[in-house]
Amino acid sequence: MKKIICLILSVFFCSCFISAQVLTARSVADESAKEDTADDSIVYIKSNLDKLTDPAEKRALYAFLGALQEQCALFDDARDSYAAAAAIAAGDAPGMPVKSSEQLVLDAVRCALSSGDSATADSYLNSAVRNSDDGTIQAYIKLYALWSSLCRAESSDDLAEPVVMLRTYAVLPSMTPVKPAVLLTLWYITGDDTYADSLRKEFPSSPEAGIVTGTVQLLPAPFWYFIPRKTGAQPELITDSGSNAAAADTGDSEKTADDVPADVQKPKKLQMGLFREKANADSLVSTLTDKGFKPYITTETRASGTTYYIVVVDEADKSLEDNLKTAGFEFCPIF
């Protein structure tokens, strides 16, 4: 009888040990992909973080979580996840993306800037990452530091120095790794199509080129909303034929309006902004109202429990998009 009990206990403990060993960053990531929504995936990953005891596995899962949160525009959460990953002194986990701690810090900086939090971005940039001997890392540090200064700009008058620096960066060989982002920023804040042309010619396959040609939608993050532009500057989308277009055409160029069902030809609403703080949403509503638009706020509570305040306007006709772009606002269509 004792032998049987010992055998059962041995099998039990062995099974527990094997189960514990099976739980890895890769296995959690794979299981999270089976959830119904991205929010559910985030909740699932968070619930398993503390179950990982190997530092490398936990570091990799934090980084994976940050990437997922960033894709969902949860920039504050993504910033914290990337920072948590960077703080863990460990190597890379098998089967997961390889990222250095310096890259993770820059990911956290990017997310801080995406939410308009230049103070946190600066604190990360002034950490040990400044001592990196990696040329690409240093290029991103310079770019992000300049983006941080743009976050603090209050009017187009504050753009003179950043524009000079960006123009310098555009020709420096050491800044080549971030040149597409430099050119996009110059085009965005000055409205000078020379920079859009450079993107199309030098980096035709880049996401930045996709933005200026209208084949890629610029995510309406607070960073892009609130950066001032030079007085009178309004960048226009450049079509592949070289002509300007007031709005992006992301559909099949061979299709006509008659080929598309009437109920899907145009969006029902335009999302102007998504915020965690209602005060920020109220501020955008006030700005839009002052410009003659009729915005309002809706809310959305994610599975994580976080409530977001979404500023939208109802799409009456195509002229509304043109008027919003002319007034300097970015938006995402809601069909």
Side-chain angles (χ1 to χ4, degrees):
M1 187 65 178
K2 287 184 178 180
K3 289 183 178 180
I4 295 175
I5 293 175
C6 288
L7 180 60
I8 293 173
L9 289 174
S10 296
V11 172
F12 172 78
F13 286 121
C14 184
S15 299
C16 290
F17 177 75
I18 292 173
S19 295
Q21 290 295 100
V22 169
L23 191 65
T24 64
R26 181 71 270 166
S27 65
V28 174
D30 289 343
E31 285 300 313
S32 71
K34 299 176 182 178
E35 298 291 332
D36 293 334
T37 67
D39 284 330
D40 291 338
S41 295
I42 289 172
V43 171
Y44 178 83
I45 293 170
K46 286 182 175 180
S47 69
N48 282 280
L49 270 167
D50 289 338
K51 297 177 184 178
L52 296 176
T53 56
D54 183 274
E57 298 291 348
K58 181 167 288 192
R59 177 182 184 273
L61 192 56
Y62 264 120
F64 181 82
L65 175 61
L68 181 56
Q69 290 167 326
E70 185 176 6
Q71 291 174 19
C72 295
L74 304 174
F75 299 117
D76 289 342
D77 294 339
R79 173 202 64 205
D80 293 343
S81 294
Y82 284 134
I88 298 175
D92 298 299
M96 296 297 284
V98 176
K99 278 202 170 185
S100 69
S101 293
E102 293 170 341
Q103 290 173 316
L104 289 168
V105 169
L106 290 179
D107 289 339
V109 171
R110 182 180 61 252
C111 289
L113 291 173
S114 292
S115 63
D117 185 0
S118 62
T120 299
D122 286 344
S123 70
Y124 289 151
L125 287 172
N126 291 323
S127 65
V129 72
R130 284 280 186 189
N131 301 321
S132 174
D133 55 5
D134 185 311
T136 298
I137 295 294
Q138 286 296 338
Y140 274 100
I141 289 173
K142 291 183 175 67
L143 173 66
Y144 288 173
L146 194 53
W147 277 1
S148 183
S149 70
L150 287 172
C151 279
R152 295 188 294 275
E154 296 182 356
S155 69
S156 60
D157 294 336
D158 298 327
L159 297 175
E161 185 175 342
V163 167
V164 170
M165 289 300 299
L166 285 165
R167 286 172 176 162
T168 301
Y169 288 166
V171 297
L172 282 179
S174 62
M175 296 298 285
T176 299
V178 296
K179 187 174 181 180
V182 170
L183 291 173
L184 176 67
T185 308
L186 280 167
W187 170 76
Y188 186 83
I189 64 180
T190 68
D192 187 342
D193 286 335
T194 300
Y195 303 115
D197 292 338
S198 295
L199 273 171
R200 294 172 68 244
K201 292 175 182 177
E202 297 180 49
F203 307 98
S205 300
S206 67
E208 291 84 358
I211 291 171
V212 302
T213 59
T215 58
V216 174
Q217 175 69 49
L218 182 66
L219 186 68
F223 175 76
W224 294 107
Y225 274 124
F226 299 117
I227 288 182
R229 298 181 186 178
K230 281 185 170 291
T231 303
Q234 175 56 38
E236 295 181 338
L237 301 176
I238 311 300
T239 67
D240 289 334
S241 61
S243 60
N244 290 342
D249 177 10
T250 57
D252 188 336
S253 59
E254 297 299 320
K255 290 183 178 181
T256 66
D258 293 334
D259 299 321
V260 185
D263 60 345
V264 296
Q265 283 186 29
K266 64 184 182 68
K268 296 179 179 179
K269 294 181 175 64
L270 300 177
Q271 178 180 309
M272 306 303 301
L274 182 148
F275 306 92
R276 293 183 68 180
E277 302 294 333
K278 187 174 185 298
N280 293 332
D282 289 336
S283 177
L284 179 56
V285 166
S286 177
T287 301
L288 285 162
T289 302
D290 289 344
K291 296 289 186 179
F293 301 103
K294 298 179 179 180
Y296 58 93
I297 297 174
T298 64
T299 61
E300 177 181 322
T301 301
R302 303 287 176 89
S304 60
T306 304
T307 297
Y308 289 89
Y309 300 91
I310 306 169
V311 178
V312 298
V313 293
D314 291 328
E315 169 104 341
D317 53 56
K318 184 64 172 58
S319 64
L320 176 61
E321 294 186 20
D322 296 341
N323 291 337
L324 284 166
K325 285 181 176 291
T326 300
F329 294 103
E330 301 294 331
F331 51 83
C332 274
I334 302 175
F335 292 92

